[in-house]
């Protein structure tokens, strides 16, 4: 009986060095698309040989009849279906394919079609399990990031990476606190804590004291959450 998780389990984990924290839309982890394509190439061969997009159809959405405002792509993603035979060898038993689509706001000279093809490719790879740990929210857990750091690089360099993410998360909380309170009121309420952060950040990095920074961030987040709820945000 074939193992339905054979491909998924091969590609579901992500090297933190090929991710970045994006401080937009509530914050999320972005994955390097070229690294995803590299992993698929390592597994299946060059793009366009046994895997990729085909039957690509671009469509435009127009405003006022003649102004192109959005570009969409409908395509098919194809890939080899690999299984392990009774001798423990990986063999190709056929081709899989499915529909995939993507859209983007159109800007002249912005490589919109190229970006759409990259977006559609990475979306398709995610459906097959590539970097599933990111989409499952595991990269919100600093301990999990540290585990992946050790697995991919066999060394503990994750403290700096975690602190980078904490600082971005902290910046998000500051922006939210200013939005809820106004800048002057926010500085009056949290000024002491902010000053302590600026003075302590360098020492925390030197000591790799992730625990201190995590605790401070959680304290700040809790206070802002309580204040936001009082103001009915």
């Amino acid at each position: 009986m074939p193992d339905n998780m054979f491909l998924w389990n091969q590609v579901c984990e992500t090297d933190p060095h090929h991710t970045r924290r994006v401080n937009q839309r509530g914050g999320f982890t972005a994955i390097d698309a070229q690294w995803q394509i590299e992993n698929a190439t390592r597994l299946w061969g060059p793009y366009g040989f046994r895997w990729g997009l085909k039957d690509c159809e671009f469509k435009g959405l127009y405003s006022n009849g003649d102004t192109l405002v959005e570009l969409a792509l409908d395509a098919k993603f194809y890939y080899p279906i690999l299984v392990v035979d009774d001798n423990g060898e990986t063999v190709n038993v056929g081709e899989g394919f499915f529909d995939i689509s993507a859209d983007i706001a159109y800007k002249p000279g912005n490589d919109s079609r190229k970006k759409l093809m990259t977006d559609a490719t990475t979306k398709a790879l995610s459906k097959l399990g590539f970097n599933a740990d990111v989409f499952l929210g595991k990269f919100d857990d600093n301990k999990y990031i540290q585990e992946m750091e050790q697995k991919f690089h066999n060394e503990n360099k994750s403290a700096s990476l975690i602190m980078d993410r904490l600082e971005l998360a902290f910046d998000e909380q500051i922006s939210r606190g200013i939005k809820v309170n106004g800048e002057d009121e926010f500085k009056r309420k949290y000024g002491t804590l902010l000053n302590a952060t600026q003075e302590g950040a360098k020492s925390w990095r030197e000591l790799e004291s992730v625990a201190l920074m995590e605790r401070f961030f959680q304290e700040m987040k809790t206070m802002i959450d309580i204040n936001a709820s009082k103001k009915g945000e």
Side-chain angles (χ1 to χ4, degrees), residues 1 11-12 14 42 49-50 57 83 129-130 175 189 231:
M1 182 175 178
V11 297
C12 65
T14 304
R42 185 178 293 110
F49 173 48
R50 292 194 299 174
E57 183 179 356
V83 299
F130 281 74
S175 297
K189 286 184 175 180
K231 290 180 176 286

Side-chain angles (χ1 to χ4, degrees), residues 69-195:
V69 295
E70 186 173 283
L71 194 64
L73 168 64
D74 293 322
K76 280 184 169 44
F77 184 85
Y78 66 98
Y79 63 99
I81 300 176
L82 306 178
V83 299
V84 179
D85 64 16
D86 293 338
N87 297 319
E89 299 291 331
T90 301
V91 295
N92 184 357
V93 297
E95 179 182 275
F97 65 88
F98 52 86
D99 294 335
I100 197 73
S101 61
D103 56 71
I104 191 174
Y106 177 74
K107 294 180 182 179
N110 197 38
D111 286 333
S112 296
R113 283 184 286 190
K114 176 184 175 182
K115 291 178 179 178
L116 276 178
M117 293 188 71
T118 299
D119 188 31
T121 300
T122 59
K123 282 183 177 178
L125 291 174
S126 73
K127 288 182 179 293
L128 296 173
F130 281 74
N131 311 110
D133 53 358
V134 172
F135 299 105
L136 289 169
K138 293 185 178 181
F139 265 61
D140 294 334
D141 182 350
N142 290 326
K143 290 182 180 179
Y144 180 80
I145 295 173
Q146 188 170 2
E147 289 174 7
M148 290 300 99
E149 184 78 28
Q150 292 173 343
K151 177 171 183 174
F152 280 93
H153 300 283
N154 196 29
E155 54 189 22
N156 188 9
K157 291 184 178 178
S158 60
S160 179
L161 178 64
I162 293 171
M163 284 191 169
D164 287 343
R165 292 172 178 271
L166 283 170
E167 285 184 354
L168 280 171
F170 183 70
D171 289 342
E172 290 175 9
Q173 289 302 315
I174 291 176
S175 297
R176 181 165 175 248
I178 291 174
K179 179 181 176 182
V180 172
N181 298 275
E183 186 170 358
D184 292 339
E185 180 68 7
F186 179 78
K187 287 181 177 179
R188 186 184 68 79
K189 286 184 175 180
Y190 306 116
T192 301
L193 283 172
L194 290 172
N195 290 335

